Amino acid sequence: MELEGNHHDQLERWEGYVDWRSRPALVGRHGGMLAAFFVLVVEILENLAYLANASNLVLYLSDYMHQSPSDAANNVTDFMGTAFLLALLGGFLSDAFFTAYHIYLISAAIEFLGLVILTVQAKSSALKPQPCDKAASSGSPCEKVHGGKAAMLFAGLYLVALGVGGIKGSLPAHGAEQFDDSTAQGRKQRSTFFNYFVFCLSCGGLIAVTLVVWVEDNKGWEWGFGISTLAILLSIPIFLAGSAMYRNKIPSGSPLTSISKVLVAATVNSFRSRNLSNAIASMAMSPSNMGQRTMGPEHEAHTTKPKDSTTSHGQATNVESLRFLNRALTEKPLHTSLQCSAEQVEDVKTVLRILPIFACTIMLNCCLAQLSTFSVQQAATMDTKLGSLKVPPASLPIFPILFIMILAPIYDHVIVPFARRATKSEMGITHLQRIGVGLALSIMAMAVAALVEVKRKRVATNKGLLDSGGPLPISFFWVAFQYLFLGSADLFTLAGLLEFFFSEAPSSMRSLATSLSWASLAMGYYLSSVIVSIVNGATGSPGHRGWLSGPNLNSYHLDRFYWLICVLSGLNFIHYLFWAARYKYRSIK
């Protein structure tokens, strides 16, 4: 915040923020929990629109577009992975050239256009392959979607992916920017926002995997796509309704340019025989090339608060870490374009320090990928009746969604206040502790999944149903245990990651850093596919089937696969502890 002039009666402004009309954002008028509330409502509708299609898309591609099961599964994986990876693009554009406010509106329009294309294609029989009976032994084979029809299908899908990526990369950071991180109250409210962001994400998912999946299966895909189209369209006026309350961070140019400059300057200067001790010392002294010199407390009392109060902290305390980058600091660079400030060097160090934490979460998301693959197939072989109601396999993700919706308020209103009183600290549970709990729960989830699979196979063996594809006399509620642990792990890790990346990243790249949470999810899905391929290749031979191959799930050695994932997750957890124990928080709280 800054004061216009020296008189107390002048308006107080948020430094580095503007309103939706690009006028200075004002304290008391812009930002706060009410502004963030609009973001939370929009997230419900946005995730409903996305997950309604992603959770059931494989059936649409195989049944209506006549793709093979493997092609349909690969296309769904590619679609979901691309959508989450494109969050990096959305975050980058939000930080560099546009505000997150504008990126959301552009992305929502793109997703809307993609959904309109998919709805029109699903409605018109002329735009789809001719219906056929795949089970028929005679007649011509089903015609796989191709040509212009395939082009229309993938144009719609990847417009949706582009829109989803832009929204995921901009919306969480936009909501978090509504809080003043220079005050304890603002930081606590921001933490609550991230908890309820995951809660609202789950609310949208709940509607998607129940109501919309039922509509798609029973009323037609044009109605399912239509509901998603309506949801994303409705989200736009709701988001615009909060425009007068939002404070929007001013873009500060490409963060990749600054990162590249520091890395190149450090590399170039390492080959030059210069005495860099003065530069390293000046880093701790906040040199003039940062744009300002260190001021005494008397002077600071009459100056504006920095946009990111954490930036000024840590610059002196982290000189000894990643010392190679200190070489970027010199008063006589090889070229003026390689002139780096101490703040730029510290920003790059911060980015490099959070990357190992990011890498350690990919294995967790590999575990989460099992929720939409093998865990669903497990439950599909079991008794899925709930009284007189038969639960469709595509709706089984309702379990982790419900667990998250129950746990999120309990965590925010019970666990965190208790931890704050117990530790006498502002956070109660640190970001890295929260992520660590999520990783530990994912290990337990994979162990439980392996034990449930052992029990399921034992029932199949005892009943003589190993070669049968029919349902086994064992309730699908046994699978709910692994969903419980994985849902809890997702709550702890996703909300913790979003807040960790946002609060620790430099102010100029918060949206991009927050997008790493979604990129980790995409890489987890890709890693799952790679592990499955490696396991089948390593355990299979010309006369012996691999662990994950056979005529039905009963012939798989799924329990061994789950134990392998459990062991890999345990090794990953040890790797995480190594980096987390050495991590020093950028912000002092």
Side-chain angles (χ1 to χ4, degrees), residues 120-131 148-149 152:
V120 170
Q121 186 175 38
K123 176 67 175 176
S124 174
S125 59
L127 299 175
K128 300 193 298 287
Q130 291 298 316
K149 297 174 182 177
M152 185 176 186

Side-chain angles (χ1 to χ4, degrees), residues 60-129:
Y60 178 69
L61 296 181
S62 60
D63 294 347
Y64 294 89
M65 295 299 166
H66 303 158
Q67 295 184 349
S68 68
S70 59
D71 286 344
N74 287 337
N75 282 324
V76 171
T77 301
D78 292 344
F79 165 72
M80 296 180 69
T82 301
F84 286 125
L85 281 180
L86 284 172
L88 294 173
L89 176 63
F92 171 76
L93 293 176
S94 298
D95 286 329
F97 305 113
F98 306 93
T99 63
Y101 175 86
H102 291 109
I103 290 296
Y104 172 80
L105 292 174
I106 294 170
S107 301
I110 293 173
E111 184 176 354
F112 173 74
L113 177 60
L115 287 169
V116 167
I117 292 173
L118 293 174
T119 304
V120 170
Q121 186 175 38
K123 176 67 175 176
S124 174
S125 59
L127 299 175
K128 300 193 298 287

Side-chain angles (χ1 to χ4, degrees), residues 124-152:
S124 174
S125 59
L127 299 175
K128 300 193 298 287
Q130 291 298 316
C132 66
D133 185 3
K134 289 186 177 182
S137 57
S138 61
S140 59
C142 293
E143 179 190 18
K144 179 180 176 181
V145 65
H146 67 282
K149 297 174 182 177
M152 185 176 186

Side-chain angles (χ1 to χ4, degrees), residues 122-318:
K123 176 67 175 176
S124 174
S125 59
L127 299 175
K128 300 193 298 287
Q130 291 298 316
C132 66
D133 185 3
K134 289 186 177 182
S137 57
S138 61
S140 59
C142 293
E143 179 190 18
K144 179 180 176 181
V145 65
H146 67 282
K149 297 174 182 177
M152 185 176 186
L153 170 67
F154 288 107
L157 282 178
Y158 282 93
L159 279 173
V160 171
L162 179 59
V164 168
I167 292 172
K168 298 295 187 187
S170 59
L171 196 60
H174 178 66
E177 291 287 3
Q178 305 310 312
F179 304 102
D180 181 10
D181 60 1
S182 66
T183 67
Q185 180 65 19
R187 291 190 292 271
K188 289 179 180 178
Q189 289 180 335
R190 186 181 65 196
S191 181
T192 295
F193 165 78
F194 279 118
N195 288 328
Y196 276 95
F197 184 86
V198 176
F199 175 85
C200 290
L201 185 143
S202 299
C203 287
L206 178 65
I207 301 172
V209 301
T210 53
L211 174 63
V212 183
V213 165
W214 183 88
V215 169
E216 289 168 346
D217 290 343
N218 294 275
K219 299 298 181 181
W221 272 87
E222 65 271 22
W223 289 99
F225 284 131
I227 292 174
S228 297
T229 305
L230 181 63
I232 199 66
L233 179 62
L234 184 61
S235 74
I236 296 176
I238 291 177
F239 183 80
L240 289 173
S243 296
M245 304 177 194
Y246 298 142
R247 63 173 200 162
N248 304 305
K249 185 168 70 70
I250 300 173
S252 53
S254 171
L256 300 182
T257 302
S258 175
I259 292 173
S260 301
K261 182 173 73 170
V262 171
L263 294 176
V264 170
T267 303
V268 169
N269 291 339
S270 67
F271 291 103
R272 300 171 65 203
S273 54
R274 300 274 186 181
N275 184 357
L276 298 176
S277 59
N278 290 336
I280 298 174
S282 12
M283 183 177 182
M285 296 293 293
S286 185
S288 58
N289 59 11
M290 284 181 62
Q292 63 178 14
R293 293 192 176 273
T294 302
M295 296 179 243
E298 299 82 9
H299 192 169
E300 289 177 350
H302 299 287
T303 58
T304 63
K305 283 187 181 180
K307 275 186 296 187
D308 182 1
S309 61
T310 64
T311 301
S312 58
H313 296 101
Q315 288 175 348
T317 60
N318 290 316

Side-chain angles (χ1 to χ4, degrees), residues 12 20 53 59 155 168 172 189 208 229 244 247 266 307 327 331 360 409 423 458 472 531 571 574 585:
E12 197 173 7
W20 69 288
N53 301 318
L59 295 180
K168 298 295 187 187
Q189 289 180 335
T229 305
R247 63 173 200 162
K307 275 186 296 187
R327 297 176 183 272
E331 294 181 359
C360 290
T423 62
R458 185 180 297 123
L472 303 174
I531 292 177
L571 295 175
I574 295 172
Y585 283 95

